[in-house]
Amino acid sequence: MNSTINILDQISVLDWLIFTFILVLTLAMVIYGNLRKNNLKESNEFLDHLLMGRQLTLPLFVATLVATWYGGIFGVTQIAFESGIYNFITQGVFWYIAYLIFAFFLVDKITPYKAITLPDLLGKMFGPISSRIGALFNFLNVVPVAYTIGLGLFTQALFGGELWSNMLIGIAFVLLYSTGGGLRSVVYSDLIQFLVMCSAVFIVVIYSIMDFGGPSFLQNHLPISYFKLTGNHSLSTTFVWGLIALSTLVDPNFYQRVFAAKSPQIAKKGILISTLIWICFDLCTTMGAMYAKAVIPNSESGQAYMIYALQLLPNGLKGFFMAGILATILSTIDSYLFVAGTSLSFDLTAKKHRTLFWHRLSVILVGLFSVLLAHFFNGNIKSVWKTLGSYSAACLLLPVLIGHIFPGRISDRSFSFACLVGVVGTSYWRTATHNGFWKNVDEIYIGTLCTGVVLFTYMAIYTKFKKKKSVRI
């Protein structure tokens, strides 16, 4: 196999037919989903647009949740290509723990609020200032910068050209099919994308084993570090990903799906089933990228997985694989665009502007903003995840969890002040120069520590004051 290829030379007419058929089928499912939309009163139309009228069934819940979570396939396979099973730990195991916490701890606590968005939930739990601050954090967290880069890399690999122009074309296509029908369009497109993306990564592993052999082949052709849990990374760096994974507990996409589910039971079952599917998917992407490293070790890490697969698979399946890669990206980017647009049009604006027109316009603006930010990060997916994920985890995670564990103990102002101190701490540590031991301390630890100190200090003072007040009475 070659380390570099002309991708267009690898794709036959049959591949293009299959690739195009899956795109058309995706668009057909969007149309079908919108045709199933019942005649709604005007007062319910906006709710249906944002949450499908809270009628999301178990199969659709699983399909849209699984599909939404894997848009960064180039980033994941790059980590696996460079570090082996370290990818499965940092991009898999840590996240499974977060999913289970959400299913068993959070679902029953958040559904009684009947919230529409995560910031709406924060407003009901803490107050209006918390809602606005939470909306700002969530907007930055779900602007699909990493996935815009992934989509740009995909189209660039196919057609060449500048990365920014490919990102712009890709975003335009997503906006074309996802803007009109609301969450319903996103969910029904996710259904096809879910089936294709899972099948595609599984096929790569099967053909890899058939052509090169099982795990013994990898052991004989890869460094020992590829089979270590931490790779060549420190424990501190590894556990940073654990904290970022816990940001799932404040991820608006997760909350939106739970709020849209027909019942808390469907949400719980859906998360558990999705976790099993995610485990299989992560094993496939990690193994596939490790086979790529073993076979074409000198390939560019960001696209090595795709270069390897296109030389491995026969005609026909190459087109299916390419559709699977595209489906993985599209199924995430459309969800993130939608949720970011919701933050802009619902959480960060006055009630009089909460209209379908403003939401659709917001989604378009978010798409353009994503391209600008992607250009700012120079197409570095890992840098995007690390930067935006650090702020979300450091500043929102502890306040939200403590608010669930100790309801009523955190005020609107204390929540907001803790988040702002977390921002200052995280930003300072990112820009400051560190030596010795402190050189290995990530900013996410500092931000979380700052947030925690403020909250626990406030809670201690609040408890002491309450005891004194009760004694006087």
Side-chain angles (χ1 to χ4, degrees), residues 329-367:
I329 301 169
L330 292 180
S331 60
T332 299
I333 202 169
D334 57 18
S335 294
Y336 274 69
L337 281 173
F338 186 83
V339 173
T342 301
S343 290
L344 195 61
S345 64
F346 183 85
D347 299 311
L348 291 170
T349 58
K351 288 186 178 180
K352 64 180 180 180
H353 295 306
R354 293 176 179 175
T355 62
L356 293 180
F357 170 79
W358 176 235
H359 183 270
R360 288 164 180 157
L361 178 60
S362 297
V363 172
I364 294 172
L365 293 175
V366 170

Side-chain angles (χ1 to χ4, degrees), residues 41-52:
K41 295 180 180 178
E42 188 175 347
S43 59
N44 292 330
E45 190 176 6
F46 196 56
L47 179 63
D48 184 84
H49 187 80
L50 297 184
L51 296 177
M52 277 184 65

Side-chain angles (χ1 to χ4, degrees), residues 223-257:
I224 296 175
S225 62
Y226 273 64
F227 302 93
K228 294 180 180 179
L229 298 182
T230 59
N232 285 324
H233 302 271
S234 66
L235 282 174
S236 174
T237 301
T238 301
F239 281 109
V240 164
W241 286 107
L243 282 177
I244 292 176
L246 288 176
S247 66
T248 300
L249 305 181
V250 287
D251 186 283
N253 276 295
F254 243 78
Y255 281 85
Q256 185 194 38
R257 269 55 179 185

Side-chain angles (χ1 to χ4, degrees), residues 276-298:
L276 293 175
I277 297 172
W278 282 321
I279 291 172
C280 297
F281 193 93
D282 286 327
L283 286 171
C284 288
T285 52
T286 300
M287 288 183 65
M290 289 173 70
Y291 272 103
K293 179 65 176 179
V295 177
I296 48 172
N298 297 320

Side-chain angles (χ1 to χ4, degrees), residues 269-420:
K269 290 179 182 177
I271 293 172
L272 296 178
I273 294 171
S274 297
T275 301
L276 293 175
I277 297 172
W278 282 321
I279 291 172
C280 297
F281 193 93
D282 286 327
L283 286 171
C284 288
T285 52
T286 300
M287 288 183 65
M290 289 173 70
Y291 272 103
K293 179 65 176 179
V295 177
I296 48 172
N298 297 320
S299 183
E300 195 279 315
S301 61
Q303 296 192 14
Y305 178 72
M306 184 165 65
I307 291 171
Y308 165 74
L310 288 177
Q311 296 179 86
L312 173 74
L313 299 174
N315 289 339
L317 286 182
K318 291 179 182 179
F320 187 84
F321 171 78
M322 294 296 286
I325 295 293
L326 182 59
T328 307
I329 301 169
L330 292 180
S331 60
T332 299
I333 202 169
D334 57 18
S335 294
Y336 274 69
L337 281 173
F338 186 83
V339 173
T342 301
S343 290
L344 195 61
S345 64
F346 183 85
D347 299 311
L348 291 170
T349 58
K351 288 186 178 180
K352 64 180 180 180
H353 295 306
R354 293 176 179 175
T355 62
L356 293 180
F357 170 79
W358 176 235
H359 183 270
R360 288 164 180 157
L361 178 60
S362 297
V363 172
I364 294 172
L365 293 175
V366 170
L368 297 175
F369 185 55
S370 300
V371 175
L372 290 175
L373 276 182
H375 188 65
F376 173 78
F377 279 100
N378 295 317
N380 190 321
I381 295 177
K382 288 195 294 184
S383 177
V384 175
W385 282 346
K386 189 75 164 39
T387 302
L388 300 184
S390 292
Y391 279 105
S392 179
C395 304
L396 279 184
L397 182 60
L398 273 182
V400 171
L401 288 182
I402 293 173
H404 286 306
I405 297 170
F406 304 105
R409 297 281 294 277
I410 299 177
S411 69
D412 194 19
R413 289 184 178 180
S414 61
F415 179 98
S416 306
F417 183 64
C419 289
L420 293 177

Side-chain angles (χ1 to χ4, degrees), residues 84-85 205 208-209 212-224 226-227 283 286-295 308:
I85 64 171
V205 173
S208 296
I209 294 172
F212 300 106
S216 60
F217 173 80
L218 297 177
Q219 290 175 332
N220 293 331
H221 290 82
L222 293 175
I224 296 175
Y226 273 64
F227 302 93
L283 286 171
T286 300
M287 288 183 65
M290 289 173 70
Y291 272 103
K293 179 65 176 179
V295 177
Y308 165 74

Side-chain angles (χ1 to χ4, degrees), residues 48-77:
D48 184 84
H49 187 80
L50 297 184
L51 296 177
M52 277 184 65
R54 302 190 195 275
Q55 295 299 308
L56 194 59
T57 58
L58 182 60
L60 290 176
F61 182 97
V62 171
T64 186
L65 193 63
V66 171
T68 297
W69 230 241
Y70 277 102
I73 189 167
F74 286 117
V76 169
T77 54

